[in-house]
Amino acid sequence: MTAAPEINVTKVETSRLKSMSLENLPFGRVFTDHMLEADYENGEWKNVEIKPYQPLLFEPSLAAFHYGQAIFEGIKAYRNEAGEAFIFRPYDNFKRFNLSAERMCMPVVPEEIFIEGMRQLIDLDKSWIPAKKDHSLYIRPFMIATDSMLGVRPSETYKFLIILSPTGPYFAAPMKISVEERYTRAAPGGVGFSKNAGNYGGSMMAAKQANKSGYDQVLWTDAFEHKWLQEVGMMNVFFLINGVAVTPSLEEGTILKGVTRDSVATLLQESGIKVEERRISIDELIEAYKAGQLQEVFGTGTAATIAYIKELKYKDHVMQFDLDKWKVAPAIRNLLNDIRDCRIADTHNWMFKI
């Protein structure tokens, strides 16, 4: 990291934390006292500051509103029993953020703003990290195009921000998932591997239709045959088939390279479970289920960490799972939680101390 820029800090006079509780937190509804903001103009980043969380003022012609140049990341910070604050694998999110930026024709954010700015911001608001099991401080870095003009071209100005949100468990209950056959999340050559806002906006119709049918989310399939499995909702997915953990391949660029996905794959392998990253079809999954070899199905992501899937539906096939018999996903979730809460040694140096 190069020398950190001068980050101007303006603190709130009185923290809102004094008048509220961190119990029963809904995801993404409560925000801390401060935020980080920086501007990109004339080919350089400037005006880097931490200030009270507040609304932003933009013109109706803002480029991000019209042409979708908007990217973000999801990261989490935790507090151990000694009260120390740690961020989980922020450098991996930093690298992925800039991959998204390059794909969307946006400027990269330097490490001294992304990492050091995040560190200073969380250090200021670390009292907002809930000291409770399965709770954390959700970190949302994002960047938007800020040219105030119409015209389909990359913006020349941008704004980078980081906001923080204390949160409890994202998916409290195991999920029912419908395999998507009509709508498409991503195609080769597209932007499926990047964490841009359009990917999420485009996913909502399929999720809404699944909800109407009594399902929580969809398992996405490929754009051409609708049989090759990709992501579940906005999470990566793992299938435990005959003792082997299979997760869809990233090669086609249609799937987000999840930090939690990589962490889970590493811990699975260290636990003696073989991991295969490859193409997998819904037909293979159904055959494995019929043969009694499809043992567990779970999603992985920053918000949920590991989300259990208790039912999968494809056409007339309904695959149900007895979670009481699961061994692998619960063990890996507990192991990951122990690392993040600093109850066991962090042998991979995943935890970045504030």
Side-chain angles (χ1 to χ4, degrees):
M1 183 174 0
T2 60
E6 183 69 28
I7 299 179
N8 183 53
V9 178
T10 304
K11 298 181 182 180
V12 296
E13 293 184 2
T14 303
S15 174
R16 290 180 287 108
L17 191 55
K18 295 181 179 180
S19 62
M20 63 181 301
S21 170
L22 296 184
E23 297 288 328
N24 303 314
L25 288 166
F27 181 82
R29 299 291 182 89
V30 176
F31 298 95
T32 67
D33 291 319
H34 302 92
M35 66 184 192
L36 180 140
E37 182 176 350
D39 296 313
Y40 183 85
E41 300 172 353
N42 300 318
E44 64 177 344
W45 287 100
K46 58 183 69 173
N47 307 326
V48 187
E49 60 179 330
I50 292 173
K51 61 185 182 181
Y53 181 90
Q54 59 192 265
L56 302 173
L57 180 64
F58 293 120
E59 294 189 26
S61 56
L62 188 81
F65 294 158
H66 301 273
Y67 306 116
Q69 274 189 293
I71 62 172
F72 65 92
E73 274 296 327
I75 312 171
K76 281 187 175 180
Y78 302 83
R79 191 162 53 180
N80 65 14
E81 293 179 356
E84 298 172 310
F86 295 83
I87 311 174
F88 184 73
R89 301 187 69 169
Y91 281 95
D92 295 276
N93 293 94
F94 164 64
K95 293 173 184 176
R96 190 174 68 181
F97 185 89
N98 281 332
L99 284 175
S100 296
E102 290 174 353
R103 178 61 181 86
M104 299 299 291
C105 295
M106 304 171 83
V108 299
V109 176
E111 182 179 332
E112 58 267 26
I113 295 178
F114 191 102
I115 297 293
E116 176 60 17
M118 184 189 304
R119 186 197 67 77
Q120 290 190 33
L121 177 62
I122 295 174
D123 188 46
L124 185 60
D125 279 353
K126 62 185 176 183
S127 58
W128 284 81
I129 306 176
K132 189 176 179 181
K133 182 181 178 182
D134 294 330
H135 286 58
S136 59
L137 184 68
Y138 185 81
I139 308 163
R140 172 54 63 89
F142 64 102
M143 178 165 52
I144 57 173
T146 55
D147 277 6
S148 294
M149 63 168 289
L150 302 182
V152 184
R153 59 161 179 76
S155 179
E156 295 179 355
T157 62
Y158 297 86
K159 191 175 288 289
F160 172 73
L161 299 105
I162 303 177
I163 56 177
L164 310 174
S165 176
T167 184
Y170 189 66
F171 291 113
M175 299 186 298
K176 295 173 62 179
I177 301 296
S178 174
V179 179
E180 182 56 45
E181 301 177 67
R182 177 183 178 187
Y183 297 105
T184 298
R185 177 189 171 273
V191 294
F193 70 90
S194 69
K195 206 165 176 67
N196 71 86
N199 282 344
Y200 293 76
S203 74
M204 294 179 186
M205 177 59 76
K208 183 178 180 180
Q209 296 297 329
N211 293 161
K212 288 181 179 180
S213 300
Y215 287 84
D216 300 295
Q217 257 296 353
V218 299
L219 175 56
W220 295 103
T221 53
D222 69 289
F224 305 112
E225 299 178 82
H226 283 298
K227 76 174 203 177
W228 298 102
L229 306 180
Q230 296 188 343
E231 295 188 9
V232 57
M234 285 299 156
M235 296 183 291
N236 296 122
V237 65
F238 284 81
F239 308 99
L240 189 67
I241 302 175
N242 201 24
V244 176
V246 181
T247 189
S249 171
L250 306 176
E251 288 184 358
E252 291 185 337
T254 57
I255 296 173
L256 191 70
K257 185 179 181 181
V259 176
T260 306
R261 173 188 185 272
D262 180 74
S263 305
V264 167
T266 298
L267 296 178
L268 284 167
Q269 291 170 323
E270 290 179 351
S271 300
I273 297 169
K274 183 179 179 182
V275 177
E276 292 181 356
E277 182 182 320
R278 61 174 175 82
R279 298 186 86 197
I280 179 170
S281 70
I282 186 61
D283 298 325
E284 178 184 347
L285 215 60
I286 292 171
E287 290 304 311
Y289 180 81
K290 289 179 178 178
Q293 296 178 337
L294 181 57
Q295 299 152 317
E296 301 179 22
V297 183
F298 55 92
T300 62
T302 301
T305 304
I306 291 181
Y308 300 158
I309 296 172
K310 66 178 181 180
E311 182 176 312
L312 271 177
K313 181 182 182 299
Y314 175 69
K315 297 186 184 297
D316 295 329
H317 302 281
V318 177
M319 296 169 271
Q320 296 176 322
F321 306 94
D322 184 357
L323 273 64
D324 291 334
K325 296 180 180 180
W326 285 22
K327 303 290 185 184
V328 174
I332 297 300
R333 182 164 73 171
N334 290 338
L335 188 57
L336 192 54
N337 286 339
D338 285 343
I339 294 171
R340 296 186 310 184
D341 293 337
C342 304
R343 289 189 291 266
I344 63 175
D346 174 24
T347 58
H348 301 284
N349 295 317
W350 287 341
M351 307 305 294
F352 177 85
K353 188 175 181 179
I354 299 298

